[in-house]
Amino acid sequence: MRTFFSILLIALFSSVAAAGDGMWLPSQLPAIADRLEAAGLETDPARFADLTGHPMGAIVSLGGCSASFVSPEGLVATNHHCAYGSIQFNSTEDNNLLENGFLAASTGDELPASPGARIYVTLAVEDVTEKIMAAIPADADGTTRYAAIEDAEKRLIAACEETPGHRCKVASFHGGETYRLYDQLEIRDVRLVYAPPSSVGKYGGDIDNWMWPRHTGDFAFYRAWVGPDGQPADRAEDNVPFQPKHWLEIGTDGVDKGDYVMVVGFPGRTNRYRLASEVEEAINWTYPQRVERRAKSLEIIANETEGRPDAALAYAATSSYLNNSLKNAQGMVAGFARSDSVARKKALEAELAEWIDADPDRHMQWATALSDLESILEAKRAHRERDQELASLRWNQLIAAANTAYRLAREREKPDVERKMGYQERDLRRIKARIMRSARSFDAMVDMALLQHTLESYAALPAKDRFAAIDSWFGLDGETDSSEAIASTLHRMYMATDLTDVKARLALLEADRAALEASDDPFVEFAVATYDTTIELEAEEDDLDGRLLEARPRFMEALLAFQKSRGVEIYPDANSTLRVTFGNVQGYQ
């Protein structure tokens, strides 16, 4: 069997490799060396535990997608769908790059990626579990625990980011059982080099996606640019291509049956260790709801953009995301219908409970681990419909812009280290980039229609799950027809606001609290009127999440110990940190 090693984007081999189960942390590979060797690996697995050496140092994150350096001049290969937003951002009705594709004939012809596009190069990883745990007071309640962990993370990140050009984050594993600090170089000048037309990059469309082995040219190229000193810089004429320490060679021989393959990337999120009750909720509520809501949003966008090519182009990336998510959810619903996931989860939990009760020390340590976690999850489920509607409400671009500006103004009244994460000085660049991206992905008619549907869903909630500030604003008094009241209020708001102009949304970020509270823009007035409700809900959520940050790690600690006693190695759920899977190329039916 010929050994084949290449770092590949996950989408490229998801259908043709028989994978070894798992999304392994690179540091775990030496512990499963026998499995890797049996599959065909002919080099020391410890080689892949070094995220700054070759080849792992060539793997980069785009802040939501995986990519890799493939040249010494900063050329980056990624998926077509990962560059989709940048392709759409540079498209016009006269030159639709989504349809036509794009090729820069020279470096001078490369196009700026969408605002906020980043390339993150891993520089160091540190286990900071002890530092996080030491910050939690004894007998802390949920709110105190959540605040203590967040404050500890902010301090670690602030110290890490003292070096200019670095972006750092703390990632938790096994629900908060372990924490790691990731130090990354944040390259801010990202340019689009090549993208195939969608007839190649999305060949087969959403019918094939998530379902069939795809024959899609799902790839695109970016280039990383830096200042003349080699350090991250904003886009400028005198910037130069970044010179990575490591890059991958592109194999031209292809693969044969039986070849060993490793797939490396930054998968977003998985939930492999959820309880049986959580799986039941996903089957009976989460995924069916997602299917319904994604389908309705796509229907609204299609209706509102019909005959308006500019509006359709503006929502191309949003529609692509919604279609992708819809197809995934539909597949999950169908898959669960054919599976015995809940039964297997219940059997595992029964075995775990029996193992805990069989030993006095284990019983003392973990006897209530499962029941404690279940009680907190039940408390979160009590308001799931309400929380879903409010999350959808905040997704609206104009409400989000006004809420962000007002919250930012309130947080600026505190020292930076005391601000809520997401509203510190380090976050301003990202907030502005998010608003700038919306300049090419916004249409007032579509935005208003989507918000109308969201508010009608909110109005259908039982009275106990609604809020006086929101009901009052939209005239939901129980007497007037809710659809008419919402439509009338929204028409007034969209006619009176200046926030349909992206420049006005950006300017809002500079306003202080007094100026915003004096504003007569209806979206700003709504943000001010509902601020106390937002803070009240956030406090409730923080308390429950803080309790989860005690209960989930305790359950996972018991599960890890149980599986270890059976000789089973467990990988953590995906959380946008670097992971590895492996397997052998096979055919398929």
Side-chain angles (χ1 to χ4, degrees):
M1 178 177 66
R2 180 167 64 92
T3 298
F4 175 81
F5 175 77
S6 182
I7 303 295
L8 301 165
L9 298 179
I10 286 174
L12 297 180
F13 269 89
S14 59
S15 299
V16 297
D21 179 60
M23 292 185 180
W24 299 95
L25 287 168
S27 58
Q28 291 182 291
L29 297 185
I32 58 169
D34 55 339
R35 293 174 58 185
L36 295 167
E37 183 178 348
L41 180 65
E42 296 180 355
T43 188
D44 184 357
R47 173 187 178 194
F48 307 109
D50 179 7
L51 303 191
T52 62
H54 188 78
M56 305 300 271
I59 312 305
V60 296
S61 169
L62 304 182
C65 267
S66 306
S68 54
F69 285 121
V70 291
S71 89
E73 293 298 314
L75 194 65
V76 171
T78 188
N79 293 91
H80 176 265
H81 69 262
C82 292
Y84 204 84
S86 293
I87 305 167
Q88 181 250 326
F89 186 83
N90 284 286
S91 294
T92 64
E93 189 176 352
D94 294 332
N95 185 20
N96 189 333
L97 301 185
L98 291 172
E99 292 183 0
N100 303 330
F102 171 75
L103 172 63
S106 68
T107 54
D109 295 318
E110 294 173 6
L111 297 174
S114 60
R118 297 289 187 268
I119 294 172
Y120 297 97
V121 184
T122 302
L123 302 175
V125 182
E126 177 188 357
D127 189 311
V128 292
T129 307
E130 290 186 5
K131 295 177 181 178
I132 296 288
M133 296 304 177
I136 304 172
D139 301 321
D141 60 14
T143 300
T144 303
R145 175 177 292 272
Y146 186 89
I149 291 173
E150 185 177 80
D151 288 345
E153 290 181 355
K154 286 189 292 187
R155 287 194 300 272
L156 288 165
I157 289 169
C160 181
E161 292 182 352
E162 287 180 357
T163 305
H166 287 218
R167 184 80 181 185
C168 305
K169 69 174 183 179
V170 175
S172 66
F173 300 82
H174 295 310
E177 190 263 345
T178 305
Y179 293 84
R180 287 185 174 90
L181 174 68
Y182 288 80
D183 182 358
Q184 297 175 312
L185 191 70
E186 181 184 34
I187 297 176
R188 305 195 298 270
D189 186 356
V190 182
R191 305 185 193 182
L192 182 65
V193 177
Y194 172 78
S198 291
S199 58
V200 173
K202 286 191 70 174
Y203 180 77
D206 296 296
I207 298 299
D208 283 4
N209 194 19
W210 296 108
M211 191 167 184
W212 304 105
R214 302 184 74 190
H215 302 276
T216 305
D218 185 11
F219 70 99
F221 288 95
Y222 280 130
R223 194 184 306 278
W225 291 72
V226 291
D229 60 355
Q231 296 304 306
D234 292 330
R235 181 178 170 86
E237 288 296 323
D238 61 347
N239 280 1
V240 297
F242 177 66
Q243 297 183 346
K245 292 181 179 179
H246 308 285
W247 62 91
L248 304 179
E249 295 182 5
I250 298 177
T252 58
D253 294 335
V255 293
D256 295 324
K257 183 177 180 180
D259 284 348
Y260 174 76
V261 178
M262 292 185 82
V263 183
V264 182
F266 294 85
R269 189 156 299 280
T270 57
N271 298 293
R272 296 292 300 271
Y273 307 109
R274 292 301 189 246
L275 303 185
S277 63
E278 293 176 281
V279 177
E280 284 185 304
E281 182 179 25
I283 294 171
N284 298 324
W285 187 80
T286 305
Y287 284 110
Q289 281 284 314
R290 190 170 297 172
V291 168
E292 180 181 336
R293 298 176 78 87
R294 298 293 191 265
K296 185 62 180 178
S297 294
L298 284 165
E299 178 188 332
I300 291 170
I301 292 171
N303 290 339
E304 294 297 327
T305 59
E306 185 176 4
R308 297 197 298 137
D310 278 350
L313 183 60
Y315 280 82
T318 301
S319 295
S320 179
Y321 159 75
L322 289 171
N323 267 310
N324 187 53
S325 178
L326 171 64
K327 190 62 184 289
N328 173 267
Q330 289 171 328
M332 294 296 287
V333 170
F336 278 130
R338 298 191 302 268
S339 76
D340 60 348
S341 300
V342 175
R344 285 188 286 110
K345 286 284 186 181
K346 288 181 176 179
L348 176 62
E349 289 168 19
E351 291 173 13
L352 174 61
E354 184 178 346
W355 178 78
I356 290 172
D357 289 341
D359 180 86
D361 290 338
R362 294 197 295 260
H363 181 84
M364 181 177 296
Q365 189 172 3
W366 296 313
T368 63
L370 180 58
S371 59
D372 289 347
L373 179 54
E374 286 280 23
S375 67
I376 299 167
L377 293 172
E378 188 60 34
K380 288 183 76 71
R381 289 187 196 106
H383 298 293
R384 65 186 181 186
E385 287 84 1
R386 178 202 71 185
D387 294 343
Q388 177 178 256
E389 299 304 339
L390 292 178
S392 296
L393 188 63
R394 296 177 188 131
W395 189 66
N396 173 266
Q397 291 199 42
L398 302 192
I399 287 178
N403 281 345
T404 299
Y406 187 59
R407 181 63 181 272
L408 194 58
R410 297 289 295 256
E411 294 294 330
R412 279 200 187 105
E413 297 173 350
K414 311 172 189 175
D416 190 61
V417 72
E418 295 178 14
R419 297 185 198 175
K420 190 72 175 175
M421 291 183 80
Y423 298 94
Q424 295 178 283
E425 289 301 315
R426 69 190 293 268
D427 301 306
L428 289 178
R429 197 189 298 268
R430 287 187 171 186
I431 292 171
K432 290 178 180 178
R434 186 167 63 242
I435 292 175
M436 289 169 64
R437 284 196 302 272
S438 71
R440 303 297 294 273
S441 60
F442 174 84
D443 177 86
M445 290 175 61
V446 178
D447 197 67
M448 184 165 64
L450 289 168
L451 183 53
Q452 171 85 24
H453 175 67
T454 296
L455 287 165
E456 287 175 358
S457 297
Y458 164 81
L461 291 172
K464 67 180 180 63
D465 285 336
R466 299 204 310 270
F467 296 91
I470 299 175
D471 287 1
S472 175
W473 184 269
F474 289 102
L476 305 178
D477 55 14
E479 299 176 3
T480 309
D481 179 87
S482 59
S483 294
E484 291 183 6
I486 292 166
S488 175
T489 303
L490 288 181
H491 178 74
R492 174 183 62 81
M493 292 175 71
Y494 278 85
M495 290 296 292
T497 188
D498 292 327
L499 299 186
T500 52
D501 182 351
V502 71
K503 292 180 181 178
R505 299 203 288 277
L506 285 169
L508 209 61
L509 299 177
E510 307 302 325
D512 60 18
R513 176 180 175 180
L516 292 171
E517 290 178 351
S519 172
D520 60 359
D521 186 288
F523 283 93
V524 177
E525 290 177 324
F526 178 71
V528 173
T530 57
Y531 176 79
D532 288 343
T533 297
T534 299
I535 296 302
E536 174 190 336
L537 288 170
E538 191 175 276
E540 176 187 307
E541 184 178 350
D542 287 355
D543 178 64
L544 284 172
D545 286 344
R547 290 165 60 192
L548 271 179
L549 285 170
E550 179 179 23
R552 182 84 72 183
R554 189 159 160 257
F555 167 76
M556 287 304 304
E557 184 181 55
L559 181 62
L560 287 165
F562 171 57
Q563 296 288 41
K564 186 175 181 180
S565 73
R566 304 197 302 175
V568 178
E569 185 80 14
I570 287 185
Y571 53 89
D573 272 322
N575 60 354
S576 297
T577 59
L578 194 64
R579 300 303 176 92
V580 180
T581 193
F582 62 94
N584 302 100
V585 176
Q586 293 184 2
Y588 61 86
Q589 286 184 314

